[in-house]
Amino acid sequence: MNRPASELPLLSKGAKPMNPDGITNLEHAVNDVYEAIVDEDDDYELDEDAVWLREQRSLNKATHWLKRPSVLMIGFPLFFFAISYSIGESTRRMITFKLACNYLAGMSTEDKCDPIGTQLLVSNLYLTYSILSAVVMMFAQGKIGTLSDQYGRKLFFILIISMFLLARIFKFYVMHNYEYLQFGLMVATEIAGNLTGGMISLISLTNCYIADVVEPHQRIYSLGLGMAFLFVGLSIGPILGNALLSLPGHVHDTILNIDTYMEISELEYLPLKFEIVMVFLVLMFIVFVVPESRSEKARSKSKTVSLSRSSLATNVVDQDQQQEQLSIWSRVGDVLNFLKPLRLLLLPSEIAPNLDTANLRRMRIVIIILILVDCLLTSVGISLMEVYVLFGIYRFDWRSIEIGHSLAVACSSRAVMLIVLSPVITHKILQKWLRFRVLKNQFDMVDLGVCVIGLSLEAVGLALLSLAPSTTWFLIGMSIMSFGALASPSLNSAIIKFYPESKIGEIFGAMSLLKNMFTLAGPVTFLSIYKVSLSRWNAPGTVFLFSSMLMLVCTGLILVVKRLLNLDKNSTSLLTRRSSSIVSLESHGLITDNNNEYPLNHKPSIPDIHRKKSFVEMQRGRQ
């Protein structure tokens, strides 16, 4: 049967080449590179790192699921870590209040603690937590992303959770063995738990892992699925903690009713013991079960790029020679320069060499807007957590059970949005019904639609919170707010499209560093608005209206991005990223380029990757 021209081999089998073995190897290499290049979109071109990751993903499909890096493989420990993270939070706060009360009672001549003084003492403790932990986390967040590109994600998952486990053990010891609040030791335990970046770095590293193992067009849902594991765990944790506290023999004391020395029941420490055991089991699962997501080739490339501080000359310099050229002091300076990844957020010209000055400037504005919106969305979500509780207690006389219900509704509704509604909105409505294209190298109409829906409905939910006449309406408002959970995975997926695969960890590290700066100022800002509006106008809901307006501004910024990129359903990517391998193939006349589209339209079968070299390795061997 005659085959169409597009299915014929890249090299004629009838020709007698001067070097048959070399040409045969070259043909295999061309097929390998072509397999990685051809995708659903003709305007999408991959760099060498993407080729290697695609090769690794192909190998993953043939690997047993227990050894295969996947969203489920990292989501499973994240889910149980989230449970352990939240299971003891309510009782830990209550014990902290009691220890603070005992401290003030011991300082008083009447052996009594002032409830207002206790509130101020604990508030100062948590404020110190926030400030010092944020400062410490900046150093880790600026380096973990880059280092995980070079040494793999798994190592840093182990480091983050190990430090968290040690800090929790230390904090349990301090709270269990002292009758009074040990302010300095408590702060030290919090700092220790955040030395490797804390929860924000863990989420960032999870996003890196997921971006490594899924194709670009699957990232929005996959990143959302990763966050869904987190939200489900955070919603189950408080419920499980309340169940442990409800065991027979527990005495329900409150700081509001007792102003003398407060006894702490041994049963109150049970959730804290339980969380330590769970974190240890999660750590063991990551050490012995979770596979590495980043291939050896990709890690080696990231190390090489890290060693070369300037563009390479025509002759490739050996890696050992590069290491010798770097002085000890320059390496130390590079380690200490934790703010260096922030440079990536401005899209350096070497990242997008094919763009002219005007388009490069436009792309930089787009990236800045997307990152700003993502940081504001994260900051608002974290900053309002304390305000929810304060507002509920003041307006609706909440008790611990209502607080638990509000946390469960907030987290579980976001999980439902990410698991159930996200694929419906993304695939059914935006891609199939409205026929929006998914662009692999820049923000597209699918990203735009998801962000506008999420941000605008979050604004509606926040406005409803400020006007809610009862707890029921307040929970309805929180459910509507959960649509905002759709925006963050879409923004994260869109931002990393502008960068090569070798920079995924570094760009996520830069984003987490910037988010940490926002979350440092966010709680102070929103709590100040809450206190001022409450004391002056008796209108505590003003903070929710302010947050609603902020989300509307973010929606407007997303529409500005649409204008800057001239997006519509037929838009194509302005940014293409071509590796030296592909350019070299064109110079040999094996692949031609016509208006950024490869004329070849047949996707060859995947050759046996184990038995031949990639084209990149061949090029390096020649040099």
Side-chain angles (χ1 to χ4, degrees):
M1 184 174 65
N2 295 330
R3 292 187 296 170
S6 60
E7 297 186 8
L8 293 176
L10 294 175
L11 297 178
S12 175
K13 297 290 180 72
K16 295 182 179 180
M18 296 292 294
N19 185 0
D21 293 336
I23 294 297
T24 301
N25 290 335
L26 183 60
E27 180 180 351
H28 287 311
V30 171
N31 286 336
D32 284 348
V33 175
Y34 178 75
E35 168 65 24
I37 293 173
V38 177
D39 205 5
E40 291 91 343
D41 294 328
D42 292 333
D43 60 352
Y44 179 48
E45 300 169 13
L46 297 171
D47 58 6
E48 292 176 0
D49 311 288
V51 171
W52 291 336
L53 282 176
R54 176 67 64 83
E55 179 182 286
Q56 184 65 41
R57 290 166 190 154
S58 299
L59 289 173
N60 290 343
K61 295 176 182 178
T63 306
H64 190 274
W65 68 273
L66 275 176
K67 299 180 180 180
R68 181 192 311 159
S70 64
V71 178
L72 180 62
M73 187 59 70
I74 196 60
F76 183 77
L78 183 65
F79 166 73
F80 284 99
F81 180 79
I83 292 178
S84 62
Y85 186 86
S86 59
I87 190 174
E89 192 60 32
S90 60
T91 186
R92 183 166 28 251
R93 293 198 177 198
M94 183 57 66
I95 293 174
T96 302
F97 268 102
K98 291 183 176 182
L99 292 174
C101 177
N102 294 342
Y103 173 79
L104 294 178
M107 299 288 293
S108 172
T109 57
E110 300 178 356
D111 196 28
K112 292 183 178 181
C113 68
D114 179 18
I116 296 178
T118 304
Q119 290 277 341
L120 293 176
L121 178 58
V122 175
S123 298
N124 290 334
L125 177 66
Y126 285 120
L127 183 60
T128 306
Y129 281 174
S130 300
I131 295 175
L132 295 183
S133 296
V135 172
V136 170
M137 284 191 292
M138 285 184 186
F139 291 93
Q141 290 166 353
K143 304 303 296 184
I144 282 181
T146 305
L147 293 175
S148 70
D149 282 339
Q150 301 172 25
Y151 300 100
R153 317 297 186 197
K154 181 174 179 175
L155 171 63
F156 293 93
F157 276 117
I158 295 173
L159 289 177
I160 291 173
I161 296 180
S162 296
M163 287 304 301
F164 181 83
L165 175 61
L166 292 175
R168 281 292 189 254
I169 294 174
F170 185 21
K171 180 169 286 189
F172 174 81
Y173 173 82
V174 172
M175 298 179 73
H176 187 268
N177 291 276
Y178 289 91
E179 297 181 357
Y180 309 109
L181 180 67
Q182 303 295 314
F183 196 98
L185 291 178
M186 292 287 283
V187 172
T189 62
E190 194 70 17
I191 292 175
N194 291 288
L195 281 175
T196 50
M199 178 61 83
I200 294 180
S201 286
L202 184 66
I203 295 173
S204 175
L205 204 60
T206 301
N207 290 337
C208 293
Y209 191 100
I210 293 173
D212 290 339
V213 301
V214 301
E215 299 296 340
H217 64 278
Q218 299 172 325
R219 280 177 181 165
I220 294 179
Y221 179 66
S222 298
L223 291 173
L225 196 59
M227 292 301 299
F229 281 110
L230 178 67
F231 285 129
V232 173
L234 291 176
S235 64
I236 293 177
I239 297 174
L240 185 57
N242 288 339
L244 292 174
L245 292 175
S246 299
L247 294 175
H250 178 65
V251 180
H252 296 278
D253 290 333
T254 63
I255 194 68
L256 298 177
N257 297 331
I258 300 177
D259 59 359
T260 58
Y261 182 87
M262 302 187 69
E263 295 287 345
I264 302 175
S265 169
E266 187 66 27
L267 191 59
E268 291 183 75
Y269 292 103
L270 183 59
L272 305 185
K273 298 176 182 177
F274 199 82
E275 75 172 359
I276 291 174
V277 174
M278 286 194 67
V279 174
F280 176 77
L281 294 177
V282 169
L283 179 61
M284 293 298 99
F285 184 86
I286 291 178
V287 170
F288 296 106
V289 179
V290 174
E292 174 57 49
S293 65
R294 194 157 174 81
S295 67
E296 180 63 32
K297 289 180 180 179
R299 297 200 300 269
S300 299
K301 174 62 182 297
S302 295
K303 291 178 185 177
T304 303
V305 172
S306 174
L307 291 172
S308 56
R309 294 295 179 260
S310 59
S311 58
L312 295 176
T314 53
N315 294 326
V316 178
V317 181
D318 185 75
Q319 184 171 337
D320 294 335
Q321 296 177 356
Q322 293 180 11
Q323 292 176 345
E324 294 175 359
Q325 291 173 2
L326 292 175
S327 65
I328 296 178
W329 289 110
S330 64
R331 296 183 188 180
V332 172
D334 184 62
V335 171
L336 295 178
N337 187 11
F338 66 95
L339 295 176
K340 184 179 178 181
L342 293 179
R343 175 178 174 268
L344 275 181
L345 302 183
L346 296 178
L347 193 66
S349 56
E350 62 268 20
I351 298 294
N354 67 302
L355 293 180
D356 55 34
T357 303
N359 283 328
L360 181 60
R361 186 183 302 113
R362 189 166 33 158
M363 286 293 184
R364 286 172 175 170
I365 296 174
V366 167
I367 293 175
I368 291 173
I369 290 176
L370 296 179
I371 292 175
L372 176 62
V373 172
D374 189 30
C375 290
L376 287 174
L377 186 62
T378 302
S379 179
V380 169
I382 293 176
S383 302
L384 290 181
M385 292 302 296
E386 294 292 340
V387 179
Y388 295 148
V389 177
L390 294 173
F391 183 85
I393 293 174
Y394 177 80
R395 179 67 66 85
F396 310 122
D397 297 323
W398 279 1
R399 299 167 299 170
S400 58
I401 187 170
E402 285 85 7
I403 295 174
H405 288 163
S406 66
L407 293 175
V409 169
C411 294
S412 59
S413 59
R414 289 178 178 266
V416 170
M417 291 295 169
L418 293 169
I419 296 175
V420 178
L421 287 185
S422 178
V424 173
I425 294 173
T426 303
H427 299 291
K428 299 294 184 181
I429 298 177
L430 297 178
Q431 293 187 40
K432 292 188 176 180
W433 183 30
L434 297 178
R435 299 189 179 277
F436 289 165
R437 294 185 63 190
V438 175
L439 303 180
K440 306 297 178 63
N441 280 345
Q442 73 170 47
F443 189 79
D444 54 46
M445 288 295 293
V446 175
D447 300 322
L448 175 82
V450 174
C451 289
V452 169
I453 292 172
L455 293 171
S456 59
L457 288 178
E458 175 143 357
V460 172
L462 284 166
L464 183 58
L465 293 185
S466 66
L467 304 173
S470 64
T471 296
T472 301
W473 281 101
F474 192 87
L475 296 181
I476 292 174
M478 296 188 76
S479 299
I480 297 175
M481 273 184 61
S482 63
F483 277 92
L486 300 173
S488 186
S490 181
L491 288 168
N492 289 329
S493 174
I495 290 169
I496 63 176
K497 289 179 182 180
F498 294 89
Y499 298 88
E501 300 278 357
S502 62
K503 296 292 184 180
I504 285 180
E506 192 170 355
I507 190 62
F508 272 124
M511 290 166 60
S512 66
L513 179 61
L514 199 59
K515 288 178 183 178
N516 186 65
M517 297 178 183
F518 273 77
T519 55
L520 178 61
V524 177
T525 301
F526 287 91
L527 283 173
S528 298
I529 295 174
Y530 177 79
K531 290 188 293 184
V532 169
S533 62
L534 177 63
S535 61
R536 293 187 179 181
W537 311 305
N538 193 26
T542 303
V543 65
F544 298 127
L545 289 176
F546 174 78
S547 302
S548 177
M549 295 298 297
L550 201 57
M551 291 298 100
L552 290 178
V553 170
C554 290
T555 305
L557 290 174
I558 294 297
L559 296 178
V560 170
V561 170
K562 178 181 184 299
R563 178 70 175 176
L564 288 172
L565 295 176
N566 296 319
L567 287 179
D568 56 40
K569 63 172 60 179
N570 298 317
S571 296
T572 58
S573 177
L574 295 175
L575 177 64
T576 56
R577 188 165 292 110
R578 308 171 64 97
S579 68
S580 59
S581 306
I582 299 172
V583 173
S584 182
L585 287 174
E586 290 180 344
S587 67
H588 283 81
L590 300 178
I591 298 180
T592 59
D593 187 341
N594 183 17
N595 295 325
N596 294 332
E597 294 186 0
Y598 288 87
L600 301 176
N601 56 17
H602 171 63
K603 189 172 184 178
S605 58
I606 300 178
D608 186 2
I609 301 176
H610 293 286
R611 66 180 177 84
K612 55 179 157 309
K613 299 179 179 179
S614 70
F615 187 81
V616 177
E617 290 174 326
M618 289 183 60
Q619 291 292 89
R620 288 178 177 170
R622 291 178 180 178
Q623 292 171 345

